Amino acid sequence: MTSQPLWHGRFANKTNPDAFALNASISFDILMAEQDVRGSIAWAEAICKADVLDEAEHTQISAGLRQILQEIRQDTFTVTPDDEDIHTAVERRLGEIIGSLSGKLHTGRSRNDQVATDFRLWMLDHIPALDAALVDLQSALVERAERDLILPPSGGDVRRTKGGNDGKPVIMPGYTHLQRAQPVLLSQWWLSHYPPLKRDQARLSELSRRVAVLPLGCGALAGCPYPIDRVALSETLGFDEPAMNSLDAVSNRDFAAEFLFVAAMIGTHLSKIAEQVILFTSAEFGFFELDDVYSTGSSLMPQKKNADPFELTRGKAGTLLGYLTGLMATLKGLPSTYDKDLQEDKLPVFAAFDTLTAMLPVIAGALRTLTVKPARMEAAIDASMMATDLADYLVQRGVPFREAHAISGEVVRAGIDKQKPLNELTLEEYQTINEVFDEEVYAVYDARESIAKRAAIGGTAPDAVKAQIERAKAELKRET
């Protein structure tokens, strides 16, 4: 059976082949084939209840649609060069199965409300997979935080013990402006990437509620002339409610733009992780080493071990942002209800989903298997990173903080001038700057003591980090 465009009756001549190819969307909306059939099954039931179909017709149409659904799931459904879009392909195939009765299915329905419904169904079907991938990455971060909080004795897992520090939490330099700032636990650093992913998850959940609004039954723009029960139709398809306004329903692509925003935010958060892992695996830092299974080499330089999965993640974050800006630019110029410009909504969403679900498992796997170099990380902590602790030492001796800050700055300058670490300045040199200093000043430069002081909720002290881990584990347990 040769398919005709669903609108062919108005036209005397066949569409120019190049124009048809430009207009066709079957190459990508085939991805919504299952959703299209599910929507059509529900629509057949709705128009039967509205007395558009009798029971026998409804039974025959539903059986034909269920056969098509089975073909789609078994990957035996095929399209023809004449199929303009997935709606045309499904209706053509239904005609091959049940004959001219297939023409009754589209009564009261437009491709405008149909495609909007298909797209929303597709998104509701696929958001859970993206959510699950985010949960897995969150789990990987929590596992790393727990693993690197207390190291096992020597002879344990090499990924945990290489470099020493047996039985102690791994400490590292914390950075602001990419300059060494204060010492922190590595576990605190791992966990710093957990809340952004939780926010991404929350945005996906909120988005799902806005996606679950049914456009079907709104027709091309003005609504359906038949007594369709749109509340029942919503429930049948798993939506929360029918769209309130038919003009808005067929043109609304806020949910697509919002999905792309969430995708771009996830990409940004992954890029932040990637950038630091790339730095930390470099020879200049040497804090981490990636497992061979998550690394690549050079075609020329045998010694190279490249963090390509993380570099690709960093690059794809820009692509995800491009998908968002592209769709936003399309939407901003639309004047009415449905316009063909909206055919550009699906490709970026499909591509963003594929990009994220490809990246997330790789990043999670790479983080789980990388080797930490505790000794290298601790060696990167110098006494100047405890300058704030020096100010706090002065505060404890009655010096106002603003004055203590200035005095600590003078000590830092003295260390630079004398080319000495701060913990190697003599007591006399300290007291030349301020007589408040005494022998206890040198205790300030214990990095682990500095970390242990920061025990308030959210801080980097071991007990505070343990509390963060336990909270995260409880949240993840509720997700599974």
Side-chain angles (χ1 to χ4, degrees):
M1 180 177 178
T2 302
S3 70
Q4 294 272 15
L6 301 179
W7 39 265
H8 71 279
R10 159 69 175 78
F11 293 83
N13 297 316
K14 190 173 182 179
T15 307
N16 172 276
D18 292 336
F20 181 87
L22 176 65
N23 191 62
S25 58
I26 188 66
S27 63
F28 54 87
D29 65 20
I30 186 69
L31 295 175
M32 302 189 301
E34 178 168 330
Q35 289 78 22
D36 191 77
V37 176
R38 283 163 46 201
S40 290
I41 291 171
W43 184 249
E45 180 182 1
I47 58 176
C48 177
K49 290 178 179 177
D51 296 327
V52 174
L53 300 177
D54 61 33
E55 287 294 342
E57 291 171 329
H58 175 225
T59 298
Q60 194 172 353
I61 288 174
S62 292
L65 288 169
R66 294 186 189 282
Q67 179 178 328
I68 296 171
L69 186 59
Q70 185 176 20
E71 291 174 1
I72 291 167
R73 290 174 175 173
Q74 294 176 346
D75 202 25
T76 59
F77 179 77
T78 58
V79 299
T80 74
D82 292 325
D83 291 330
E84 180 184 5
D85 51 35
I86 188 56
H87 323 302
T88 309
V90 168
E91 190 166 320
R92 183 259 310 156
R93 179 61 181 140
L94 184 62
E96 293 172 352
I97 296 170
I98 67 172
S100 60
L101 177 59
S102 63
K104 286 194 172 185
L105 174 62
H106 205 59
T107 306
R109 183 176 67 171
S110 166
R111 285 189 299 176
N112 295 357
D113 61 344
Q114 188 178 1
V115 71
T117 301
D118 291 357
F119 197 14
R120 286 172 179 266
L121 277 173
W122 182 93
M123 198 170 286
L124 289 173
D125 288 344
H126 285 77
I127 282 176
L130 183 52
D131 181 80
L134 284 171
V135 169
D136 184 55
L137 179 54
Q138 291 165 25
S139 298
L141 290 165
V142 174
E143 290 164 22
R144 284 268 24 159
E146 193 166 34
R147 183 190 308 178
D148 296 324
L149 185 60
I150 300 294
L151 295 181
S154 294
D157 185 344
V158 70
R159 289 197 303 269
R160 297 182 237 181
T161 61
K162 185 181 288 187
N165 271 10
D166 292 350
K168 298 178 183 178
V170 182
I171 65 175
M172 66 179 293
Y175 294 85
T176 64
H177 307 274
L178 267 183
Q179 305 296 317
R180 292 176 182 173
Q182 291 179 295
V184 297
L185 293 185
L186 173 58
S187 296
Q188 168 82 338
W189 183 82
W190 288 124
L191 291 173
S192 71
H193 298 288
Y194 175 88
L197 299 176
K198 286 297 294 183
R199 295 192 292 270
D200 293 330
Q201 233 187 327
R203 278 185 278 266
L204 278 178
S205 178
E206 292 159 8
L207 169 61
S208 293
R209 292 196 292 272
R210 285 185 282 279
V211 174
V213 178
L214 179 73
L216 196 58
C218 288
L221 77 161
C224 181
Y226 301 96
I228 302 297
D229 185 345
R230 294 191 62 228
V231 172
L233 188 58
S234 296
E235 293 171 354
T236 298
L237 285 170
F239 287 84
D240 292 342
E241 60 180 342
M244 181 182 72
N245 183 283
S246 60
L247 296 169
D248 173 67
V250 297
S251 63
N252 175 14
R253 293 299 186 274
D254 291 6
F255 66 95
E258 189 172 352
F259 178 88
L260 292 175
F261 170 75
V262 175
M265 282 301 301
I266 295 171
T268 298
H269 294 146
L270 295 180
S271 183
K272 185 176 181 179
I273 297 172
E275 170 66 8
Q276 292 205 275
V277 169
I278 291 165
L279 286 172
F280 288 169
T281 54
S282 68
E284 285 70 21
F285 280 83
F287 293 173
F288 299 155
E289 182 180 348
L290 292 181
D291 195 288
D292 287 355
V293 300
Y294 289 105
S295 306
T296 60
S298 165
S299 63
L300 178 64
M301 296 166 284
Q303 84 280 7
K304 292 295 293 300
K305 186 174 186 180
N306 299 329
D308 280 6
F310 290 92
E311 293 175 21
L312 288 167
T313 294
R314 188 175 57 185
K316 289 178 185 297
T319 301
L320 290 166
L321 178 59
Y323 293 148
L324 171 62
T325 56
L327 182 60
M328 291 297 289
T330 297
L331 296 178
K332 71 165 284 296
L334 300 186
S336 57
T337 53
Y338 182 84
D339 297 274
K340 194 70 170 184
D341 312 52
L342 292 176
Q343 189 163 289
E344 295 298 304
D345 59 355
K346 286 169 283 296
L347 271 174
V349 168
F350 296 160
F353 175 82
D354 289 345
T355 298
L356 288 173
T357 52
M359 288 195 305
L360 284 161
V362 174
I363 297 303
L367 295 184
R368 284 185 169 105
T369 57
L370 65 74
T371 299
V372 170
K373 307 290 186 67
R376 182 69 178 256
M377 300 179 91
E378 187 162 358
I381 298 171
D382 61 65
S384 69
M385 296 177 65
M386 272 65 77
T388 302
D389 297 86
L390 185 62
D392 291 334
Y393 160 92
L394 293 168
V395 167
Q396 291 168 3
R397 283 153 177 78
V399 180
F401 178 77
R402 206 34 82 194
E403 184 180 342
H405 186 284
I407 294 169
S408 297
E410 291 181 49
V411 172
V412 171
R413 188 169 66 247
I416 294 170
D417 292 343
K418 297 176 185 299
Q419 298 185 4
K420 287 184 177 182
L422 302 190
N423 57 338
E424 292 183 12
L425 292 172
T426 67
L427 182 57
E428 182 181 359
E429 288 169 329
Y430 272 104
Q431 291 178 338
T432 298
I433 295 169
N434 194 291
E435 60 185 16
V436 173
F437 289 112
D438 58 26
E439 293 84 354
E440 294 181 8
V441 68
Y442 297 103
V444 162
Y445 299 110
D446 185 327
R448 292 184 181 276
E449 282 299 314
S450 174
I451 288 170
K453 292 173 186 174
R454 288 159 172 80
I457 292 173
T460 196
D463 286 346
V465 171
K466 285 178 186 176
Q468 294 171 52
I469 290 172
E470 292 308 312
R471 174 175 173 173
K473 287 169 68 176
E475 290 173 349
L476 290 168
K477 188 175 181 179
R478 290 195 292 270
E479 297 287 342
T480 57

